[in-house]
Amino acid sequence: MSSATGRFTLIFCSVLFLFGSCKTKKDIVYSVPEEFMQEELLDTLVISDVAGTLDSLPKEYRPSATLMFDILHTRLDLKFDWQKQYVLGNADITISPYFKPISSITLDAIGFKIHKITIADKPMLYENTGEKLIITLDKMYKGKEKFELHIEYTAEPNSNAVTGSEAITSDKGLFFIDPLDLDPDIPSQIWTQGETENNSRWFPTFDKPNERFTQEIILTVEDKYLTLSNGKKISTRKNPDGTRTDHWKQDRPHAPYLAMIAVGEFHEETEIWNEIPLNYMVEKGFGKHAKKIFNHTPEMLGFFSGKLNYPYPWDKYGQVVVRDFVSGAMENTGAVVFGDFVQKTDKELIDNDNDYIVAHEMMHHWFGNLVTCEDWSNLTLNEGFANYAEYLWFEYKYGKDRAEYHRIKEMNGYYSQVFSGGAHPLVHYFYEDKEQMFDAHSYNKGGLVLHMLRNYVGDEAFFASLNKYLVDNAGTAVEVDELRMAFEDTIGEDLHWFFDQWFLGTGHPHLDVTYTYNDENKVLLLEVDQSKTPNGFYDVFKFPVDIAIYYADGTVQYYPVMINEKKQRVLIEDLKEKPVTYVFDGKNVLLALINENKTPEQYKAQFKLSANFMDKMIAFTSTNDGNADLIDIALKENFYIFRSMGINAISDSNATAYIDRLQSFALTDPHSEVRRDALLKLLNIEDFDPMAICRLILKSEQAYPVLQIALEVMGSAEPEKADEYLQKFKNDDSDFLSGTLAGIMKDETTENLTYLESKAKNIGVMHIFDYFTRYQEFLAGKSFAALERSADFLYTLASAKDGNMYRKFLSMSTLIKIAEDLGSRNKTSPDPMGEKLLVKVAELKNNILKNETDPTLIQEYKGLK
Ligand SMILES: [Zn+2]
């Protein structure tokens, strides 16, 4: 596969994820506005076909790996053959028996050529199966006796030594990106992705999460490259042959899947936090944005260290962006790798920052890297905490509404998976494939369950229990019982009931709640019915809940009850007066689908009286009659999502009454999403002239989503000013507006053609499709001279050897558009020049087809006319 495929897969997966989430929203008790889903980017979550449906759960138990020996230390000395994409390695591995004496060991080493295996310079007998090295030791080792195994090898991560076939793209462990530097658009890089068990494609190890070792990695690369690995760089030296050797060392042991290297021409920014070196590595063009890309890193390290009462346990914190990463991001100890979707300019980062994913990977340094799940069945002990870290950070930094907004998205992700792929226990010992554990259970549900646990035990006990769990288990592999016991020992209460249903059981409750109020006795009867909970889910859920009762004067009373029966009646007596509304999960904590028999009036009251984000969201979307009083309240809310929601709920027929307010939102709202929504709403008003406000926006707005709309409007309203806009925005360091600029451009001046061509050559994959669409629109109907110049230019782009495949494809399809345009013009008004040009373009097309060697592209070209 070409290197661009990974990027496409990421975009494609995001789209799938959006679709999946939206598709199921009707099944959930509330609906979610489109914007809720837009910022959903994948972190380490891999969207894949999820574990089978309830009745087809595979039955094979997945035990944690049996430990016969323990790797104490791994020292790797690595060089690279960029031409062949090989790793040339020397490994020195210090090993001792785990408990019983050993006379042979088996290491994971996938796709290796072995040159030599020795202990103290004595060659050892070994068998290389292509996946394992079975090594006969020089004697029987007992107790704590150590030996050092020396292995000289060549690793070929692109090949599968067993089948001889190409490795599955995402499983290669180590990736060469544009290794021969054939594509000027793509930086040459090497990076690794170990999780789950893929690091044994570039160094021999026992590739299981319940192993752990200290580590040294020595990398020799061309001097132009920077390197990154786990631990501290303890030395660097230039070699006479123009290469440089960097020595990285980590003294605290970690699991094999967390080992990493990255090599590339990065821009690096550094700073120190609490004596811990921090580094931020990005592609060279993004140097000045590096710190903002990883915004709040020092503050987050302080926040999590404080919350957990456990100082950041590693010796440095590095973060690097790489090309074509196979996942969203990966928490390699002290050396986190991110996909290039986080790489944005300062203006692109406005209201679109990377906080959630930076927080997620950081939290892994306690949950995952310090205390590690012993097998993939217990993956939620890593990922549930990392996802919940996002909530904790939002809550601390931006307030409860922001965190709750995030929690709703997490719930939707989980429900969406359950609806489309079925449910399985959170700690899942019967998975079919370990990669399936990286799903919305381990991640989303894991975090949501921790949130319920936190609310049950209270904040103080929750964080004290987490601290105990970290202290007791630091440097070890764990299973879920260890988490339960840390909580039980801290609070002095048995928690089997909670852990059994949420961690070991399946699903979540489906609840029907009906309210009957008796005015005479001032008594409220609640009937809570779990019987619609699907078969296969945990039978009867037990959970504490605070029932909220709202009164007309704005006061609320909470009634805490424990629900633990399939059908349960709860009688609340001595109410002070007739309530105006109720909320069953009054503090918005549960992971449950809840149906309540409430009237539109009660929902309206809920929107007005509740202070909880989810209550308000549910209420607003449930009443849904475009009523002015709710809109007016929403527009005054502090949290931007409500204001956007209010604006979007204004019906077109009523919008005229809101013109002044909408203009004010469009120009001055602190959040760009609200400014954008207000502007869009204004554009829908028939007798509103948007020119004046769009001019103001073009002068002062910084956020691209708003600017883009104003630019589109003005571009079509004042085509004669296209040049002016081009001058203003053409040197912008983001690609965001390039498509729009191409779209509003009309004249075929040399300057315009040069601009269009330079963008076509350089635009990033994120915006490339939009850009080429607009470029094609521009070319339609242009002079023969302009078309000939463009055809020649597109031909060079499409023929670029190993060029980006999307760019090549889009260049070819633009060339075909030119041919179509010429063809229809020749029909209506034949012209010898036009006919000659048409012949030339056809030749260019055929040449491209003839010379292309990439089978994917050839296939795609055939799909074009
Ligand atoms: Zn994660």
Side-chain angles (χ1 to χ4, degrees):
M1 279 289 199
S2 97
S3 55
T5 315
R7 194 71 185 82
F8 185 63
T9 310
L10 179 71
I11 295 167
F12 186 63
C13 286
S14 309
V15 172
L16 266 186
F17 189 50
L18 300 186
F19 179 67
S21 304
C22 298
K23 198 177 60 177
T24 53
K25 70 184 180 191
K26 291 224 170 62
D27 300 320
I28 304 171
V29 288
Y30 49 87
S31 66
V32 179
E34 288 290 298
E35 310 89 87
F36 270 50
M37 297 303 167
Q38 284 179 359
E39 76 176 46
E40 202 66 55
L41 271 167
L42 306 174
D43 46 40
T44 32
L45 174 60
V46 176
I47 301 296
S48 59
D49 287 333
V50 290
T53 53
L54 289 167
D55 13 297
S56 66
L57 280 180
K59 295 289 182 280
E60 193 189 337
Y61 177 75
R62 306 287 179 176
S64 58
T66 303
L67 302 168
M68 299 304 294
F69 58 91
D70 187 13
I71 298 178
L72 305 171
H73 186 71
T74 298
R75 183 183 193 275
L76 304 173
D77 191 339
L78 307 178
K79 295 186 177 71
F80 306 93
D81 183 335
W82 292 74
Q83 190 84 34
K84 296 190 179 125
Q85 304 187 30
Y86 290 169
V87 180
L88 314 173
N90 281 339
D92 291 291
I93 308 173
T94 312
I95 299 176
S96 75
Y98 189 82
F99 188 80
K100 291 182 192 163
I102 49 171
S103 58
S104 80
I105 61 162
T106 301
L107 293 177
D108 298 299
I110 306 171
F112 283 39
K113 286 206 173 71
I114 300 294
H115 310 303
K116 189 168 157 187
I117 300 183
T118 59
I119 293 177
D121 289 331
K122 255 173 45 194
M124 295 296 114
L125 286 175
Y126 65 87
E127 185 194 343
N128 179 4
T129 70
E131 286 195 324
K132 310 258 182 208
L133 292 180
I134 304 157
I135 304 164
T136 307
L137 303 175
D138 52 341
K139 61 169 200 141
M140 178 82 85
Y141 287 85
K142 296 189 186 108
K144 298 271 175 252
E145 208 177 350
K146 292 179 203 169
F147 56 94
E148 193 175 285
L149 207 53
H150 177 75
I151 304 178
E152 291 178 18
Y153 65 94
T154 301
E156 302 175 10
N158 282 341
S159 74
N160 183 325
V162 181
T163 61
S165 62
E166 289 272 296
I168 300 167
T169 316
S170 59
D171 286 355
K172 289 201 284 190
L174 183 141
F175 297 75
F176 286 85
I177 303 300
D178 194 20
L180 303 182
D181 201 12
L182 296 173
D183 185 345
D185 297 345
I186 301 179
S188 299
Q189 297 177 345
I190 297 172
W191 47 260
T192 60
Q193 167 58 25
E195 196 170 33
T196 48
E197 296 170 10
N198 297 320
N199 274 342
S200 47
R201 286 181 175 276
W202 58 280
F203 68 91
T205 192
F206 185 63
D207 207 350
K208 297 290 175 188
N210 53 347
E211 171 58 67
R212 57 179 66 223
F213 45 71
T214 55
Q215 176 188 302
E216 278 168 273
I217 295 187
I218 298 147
L219 298 166
T220 300
V221 296
E222 270 181 74
D223 196 26
K224 65 176 178 179
Y225 293 121
L226 293 185
T227 71
L228 180 69
S229 186
N230 316 97
K232 277 192 165 166
K233 185 156 68 179
I234 56 168
S235 75
T236 180
R237 80 163 189 264
K238 291 197 182 192
N239 305 312
D241 64 354
T243 60
R244 197 188 71 253
T245 301
D246 293 342
H247 188 154
W248 294 89
K249 187 163 189 277
Q250 180 172 285
D251 291 325
R252 187 162 204 163
H254 70 166
Y257 74 89
L258 295 165
M260 76 78 78
I261 60 168
V263 177
E265 288 184 84
F266 302 109
H267 174 96
E268 183 176 25
E269 293 282 322
T270 57
E271 63 181 315
I272 303 282
W273 169 83
N274 271 8
E275 295 172 28
I276 308 267
L278 312 180
N279 42 357
Y280 312 110
M281 294 163 79
V282 294
E283 278 175 34
K284 281 198 158 158
F286 287 84
K288 64 179 172 188
H289 309 292
K291 280 195 185 170
K292 277 248 174 92
I293 287 169
F294 302 113
N295 209 4
H296 304 130
T297 296
E299 189 181 350
M300 268 183 210
L301 284 163
F303 169 68
F304 290 126
S305 299
K307 264 285 179 214
L308 300 167
N309 192 21
Y310 197 109
Y312 174 73
W314 306 92
D315 45 12
K316 82 148 193 305
Y317 198 70
Q319 297 174 99
V320 62
V321 177
V322 302
R323 272 297 173 103
D324 299 335
F325 194 45
V326 284
S327 178
M330 177 64 206
E331 68 268 20
N332 312 298
T333 311
V336 179
V337 174
F338 292 84
D340 58 5
F341 64 92
V342 302
Q343 203 164 242
K344 303 171 207 161
T345 67
D346 289 0
K347 279 162 79 179
E348 287 171 334
L349 283 161
I350 296 172
D351 300 325
N352 184 25
D353 59 34
N354 299 317
D355 274 28
Y356 74 101
I357 196 163
V358 173
H360 178 110
E361 306 309 329
M362 189 182 287
M363 186 63 132
H364 274 309
H365 284 69
W366 288 268
F367 298 91
N369 302 9
L370 179 68
V371 176
T372 312
C373 62
E374 66 171 18
D375 50 36
W376 305 116
S377 307
N378 280 277
L379 181 66
T380 196
L381 297 178
N382 292 8
E383 298 302 345
F385 283 101
N387 262 41
Y388 196 48
E390 301 165 21
Y391 184 97
L392 293 173
W393 171 255
F394 285 141
E395 186 183 33
Y396 155 80
K397 183 72 183 171
Y398 306 106
K400 180 94 176 178
D401 281 348
R402 180 70 189 83
E404 282 292 296
Y405 168 40
H406 188 67
R407 192 173 66 92
I408 290 183
K409 289 196 290 185
E410 291 283 296
M411 282 199 287
N412 276 292
Y414 162 71
Y415 290 139
S416 157
Q417 186 190 32
V418 172
F419 289 130
S420 62
H424 61 74
L426 184 49
V427 174
H428 187 23
Y429 289 107
F430 295 89
Y431 59 76
E432 227 162 316
D433 184 315
K434 58 188 183 308
E435 310 304 328
Q436 288 174 341
M437 290 305 296
F438 292 76
D439 67 359
H441 282 72
S442 299
Y443 286 73
N444 306 35
K445 185 182 182 185
L448 296 161
V449 166
L450 290 171
H451 186 64
M452 290 189 285
L453 184 56
R454 174 184 171 194
N455 279 276
Y456 175 66
V457 301
D459 265 28
E460 205 183 335
F462 181 73
F463 290 106
S465 304
L466 294 190
N467 176 267
K468 181 169 175 56
Y469 171 72
L470 292 172
V471 170
D472 289 356
N473 299 293
T476 72
V478 287
E479 55 193 300
V480 68
D481 303 83
E482 276 148 318
L483 181 67
R484 175 178 49 78
M485 290 188 293
F487 272 86
E488 290 179 345
D489 290 350
T490 303
I491 67 171
E493 179 184 330
D494 187 281
L495 287 172
H496 268 287
W497 64 271
F498 184 94
F499 279 75
D500 281 358
Q501 76 187 16
W502 289 117
F503 283 95
L504 302 172
T506 298
H508 52 272
H510 287 215
L511 305 173
D512 277 317
V513 180
T514 50
Y515 302 93
T516 315
Y517 178 70
N518 184 319
D519 215 0
E520 227 167 90
N521 311 325
K522 300 211 185 323
V523 165
L524 176 69
L525 173 69
L526 268 91
E527 285 163 288
V528 186
D529 184 354
Q530 301 194 32
S531 51
K532 283 201 190 129
T533 305
N535 285 335
F537 281 19
Y538 194 77
D539 190 24
V540 179
F541 282 86
K542 168 181 173 178
F543 53 89
V545 69
D546 291 283
I547 298 160
I549 297 183
Y550 289 90
Y551 296 100
D553 63 0
T555 56
V556 53
Q557 275 182 298
Y558 291 103
Y559 292 85
V561 291
M562 184 64 90
I563 302 295
N564 51 14
E565 293 166 45
K566 196 160 218 163
K567 289 187 180 187
Q568 193 166 337
R569 291 155 72 94
V570 178
L571 203 61
I572 301 176
E573 295 172 309
D574 299 328
L575 299 188
K576 65 175 186 181
E577 61 189 44
K578 185 179 183 192
V580 287
T581 193
Y582 326 96
V583 180
F584 175 66
D585 179 20
K587 292 187 175 168
N588 295 181
V589 173
L590 285 177
L591 177 61
L593 290 179
I594 308 170
N595 258 312
E596 295 173 271
N597 71 327
K598 285 192 283 208
T599 63
E601 282 313 311
Q602 287 174 319
Y603 276 121
K604 274 183 204 168
Q606 178 173 324
F607 182 76
K608 290 175 185 170
L609 300 179
S610 173
N612 301 329
F613 178 76
M614 196 167 96
D615 287 348
K616 293 171 92 79
M617 287 301 307
I618 293 171
F620 196 90
T621 47
S622 302
T623 55
N624 207 19
D625 58 358
N627 48 76
D629 56 339
L630 292 201
I631 289 173
D632 286 346
I633 297 170
L635 294 181
K636 289 189 190 113
E637 286 280 351
N638 280 330
F639 187 45
Y640 75 95
I641 287 292
F642 288 121
R643 299 196 299 280
S644 264
M645 200 172 67
I647 288 167
N648 288 317
I650 296 169
S651 65
D652 288 349
S653 55
N654 274 340
T656 316
Y658 288 91
I659 284 181
D660 288 348
R661 274 197 279 173
L662 286 170
Q663 294 204 74
S664 154
F665 278 120
L667 291 171
T668 62
D669 194 275
H671 202 285
S672 60
E673 255 181 67
V674 180
R675 299 200 295 278
R676 182 202 61 190
D677 289 351
L679 181 58
L680 286 171
K681 186 56 78 176
L682 283 166
L683 297 180
N684 277 342
I685 302 175
E686 237 172 73
D687 43 8
F688 176 76
D689 179 358
M691 304 263 285
I693 193 164
C694 287
R695 274 197 203 103
L696 285 173
I697 288 170
L698 288 184
K699 249 188 223 148
S700 57
E701 177 66 52
Q702 294 294 306
Y704 290 120
V706 196
L707 267 178
Q708 188 180 32
I709 298 166
L711 197 53
E712 293 280 359
V713 170
M714 295 312 287
S716 59
E718 301 180 317
E720 70 283 1
K721 289 205 174 160
D723 264 2
E724 207 178 287
Y725 300 130
L726 182 65
Q727 293 311 326
K728 185 167 160 67
F729 295 108
K730 77 173 188 183
N731 292 323
D732 207 284
D733 60 1
S734 160
D735 291 332
F736 203 104
L737 297 176
S738 305
T740 305
L741 289 174
I744 64 173
M745 210 177 270
K746 297 287 175 277
D747 302 335
E748 52 176 75
T749 59
T750 311
E751 193 191 353
N752 283 356
L753 287 170
T754 308
Y755 171 85
L756 289 166
E757 288 162 9
S758 83
K759 278 292 161 190
K761 216 167 141 187
N762 297 311
I763 195 156
V765 176
M766 267 301 200
H767 299 281
I768 199 167
F769 287 92
D770 173 53
Y771 177 77
F772 268 86
T773 309
R774 308 301 293 265
Y775 184 25
Q776 288 172 8
E777 285 166 18
F778 171 87
L779 290 173
K782 291 289 182 285
S783 74
F784 295 137
L787 291 183
E788 182 164 14
R789 170 185 164 145
S790 306
D792 286 336
F793 166 75
L794 290 162
Y795 176 73
T796 53
L797 272 195
S799 324
K801 179 137 178 52
D802 210 28
N804 175 283
M805 80 182 263
Y806 302 115
R807 200 176 315 277
K808 291 176 74 167
F809 172 79
L810 289 164
S811 301
M812 178 66 149
S813 68
T814 308
L815 207 53
I816 288 170
K817 276 267 182 275
I818 291 177
E820 281 171 11
D821 183 29
L822 286 168
S824 61
R825 276 156 75 177
N826 283 344
K827 256 185 214 150
T828 48
S829 49
D831 183 309
M833 272 186 58
E835 270 158 39
K836 210 174 123 205
L837 185 52
L838 185 56
V839 172
K840 176 176 173 177
V841 173
E843 257 171 42
L844 294 177
K845 262 168 50 187
N846 289 338
N847 276 341
I848 294 169
L849 254 181
K850 205 168 66 198
N851 296 328
E852 185 53 60
T853 52
D854 182 336
T856 316
L857 268 176
I858 294 170
Q859 196 59 35
E860 291 298 328
Y861 287 160
K862 283 182 183 152
L864 292 167
K865 271 192 269 172

